[in-house]
Structure formats: structure tokens, C-alpha cells
Amino acid sequence: NNKVISELSITSADSPAGLFGKIGTGGIVQNLKLTGGHIKGVTSDCGSIAGVNGGTIQNSIVSAAVSGDISQNTGGIVGKNDSGGKVEKCTVATGSSITGAKGKTGVLAGENNGDMDSNTVYRGVKINGAPAGENNLVGTGKAPTNTNITNPQGFGGGGSGCDTGFGFAALAALAGTRLIRRRERQ
């Protein structure tokens, strides 16, 4: 219902970690805006809206910091999108940062086994711990479709296993696979 949750702070030693730990089959989260705050998971599956998604997340906007201390599967929206899970028409906005420790780190999801369609990623999203040479939309698993990257610029962070994320080479590779529907000039 277009509600805003601001300055949410979660530090969890439990897995999964997020506003919702796990969204089960048939569960729906929609029209949510999550701004500011920090979600930190210590074990595995850490995301801002959900640690694990087996249901549907749609029409939601995230601008927050997400970090997985030693966790695998760290993502801006969801840590792990299970088979049957859907993430659609969601946005990871400027000001977000995603930091993972073991390589399964992505702007949308650390691991994607479900469907991710028609999502938007804004420039200014910072990512650390993503696998080198990947497009950084997801850390591992199925590539998302119809992803809008708005005002792209090279970003990334220090530390091993990082690359520059949405640089122009990555955009060219994504455009060649038709994963990008449009992009805007700076």
C-alpha cells in the first residue's frame, strides 16, 4: 500500500536476514519503499526486503545498506531468490550499498534461481565482494531479464573479488544479451 519504512536497522546472527527473513511460496510483498537504514546478516542469505524469497516481491523501492559479514548470498533486494521466487518491477536506488564477503553478492540478489524481470538499478549503487568479471546484478545463478540501468557509471569498491560493476564494458555485454531494455545517458 505504498508505505515507507525508513531507517530500519537489523543486525542478525540468524539466517536468513532482512525485513522479512523468508517469504514463502504464495507470499507477496508489494508497493513497499525501504529507505535509509542498514541490514546486516552474519551467516547466510541477507537482503533488504528478504533474506530468502520463494514468493513474489513487486513494485518496491530500496535505498539502504545491506551487508553480509561472513555470509553468502547478499543482495540489495533479496539474499537468495529461490526457484519459483519472483522479483519484478523493483528498484535499487542511488544511495544503496551492498557488501558481501564470499562472492555471492549482487545488486538485486546474491543468488538467483527464480525469475527477476523488469527491475531498475540506479547509478550510485555501491557494491563490494561481487565476483570478478560478472555483471553484478546477481552474484550467481540465472541472469535477470529486462533490467533498466539508469544513468550508469562505473562503481565498485576496494577489496579482493570486486570489479567495477556497471562499467561500459559490462553494459555492452548486457546489451548484447538483451538483458537491458533501455539505458539513459548521463
Side-chain angles (χ1 to χ4, degrees), residues 2 4 8 22 33 49 53 57 61-62 77 81 84 92-94 96 99 107 111 125 128 139 154-155 167 179 181 183:
N2 299 305
V4 177
L8 175 68
K22 182 173 184 177
K33 187 172 184 180
I49 294 179
N53 177 44
I57 301 171
I61 300 171
V62 171
I77 294 176
N81 194 37
V92 179
T94 300
S96 297
T99 302
V107 174
E111 182 176 342
V125 175
N128 282 318
F155 30 64
L179 295 177
R181 188 170 41 193
R183 64 181 182 189

Side-chain angles (χ1 to χ4, degrees), residues 2-180:
N2 299 305
K3 302 296 185 193
V4 177
I5 297 174
S6 60
E7 303 305 322
L8 175 68
S9 178
I10 296 173
T11 300
S12 178
D14 296 327
S15 174
L19 174 61
F20 299 97
K22 182 173 184 177
I23 299 171
T25 304
I28 299 173
V29 174
Q30 61 188 3
N31 305 324
L32 173 68
K33 187 172 184 180
L34 184 61
T35 63
H38 184 253
I39 295 89
K40 181 178 182 179
V42 177
T43 55
S44 64
D45 303 325
C46 180
S48 62
I49 294 179
V52 174
N53 177 44
T56 300
I57 301 171
Q58 60 187 195
N59 300 321
S60 295
I61 300 171
V62 171
S63 177
V66 180
S67 62
D69 221 9
I70 57 170
S71 69
Q72 291 190 346
N73 301 332
T74 304
I77 294 176
V78 61
K80 181 178 182 182
N81 194 37
D82 275 339
S83 178
K86 294 180 183 178
V87 177
E88 51 194 28
K89 298 179 184 173
C90 291
T91 299
V92 179
T94 300
S96 297
S97 66
I98 299 95
T99 302
K102 294 205 175 187
K104 289 187 174 182
T105 303
V107 174
L108 298 172
E111 182 176 342
N112 180 37
N113 299 312
D115 295 316
M116 299 188 127
D117 186 48
S118 301
N119 296 295
T120 300
V121 175
Y122 278 77
R123 76 175 201 165
V125 175
K126 297 187 182 354
I127 183 165
N128 282 318
E134 298 293 330
N135 64 37
N136 294 348
L137 294 173
V138 297
T140 186
K142 291 173 54 178
T145 56
N146 300 318
T147 302
N148 296 320
I149 299 176
T150 302
N151 293 327
Q153 66 180 15
F155 30 64
S160 61
C162 297
D163 65 4
T164 56
F166 306 106
F168 292 107
L171 285 173
L174 286 172
T177 60
R178 297 178 186 230
L179 295 177
I180 295 179

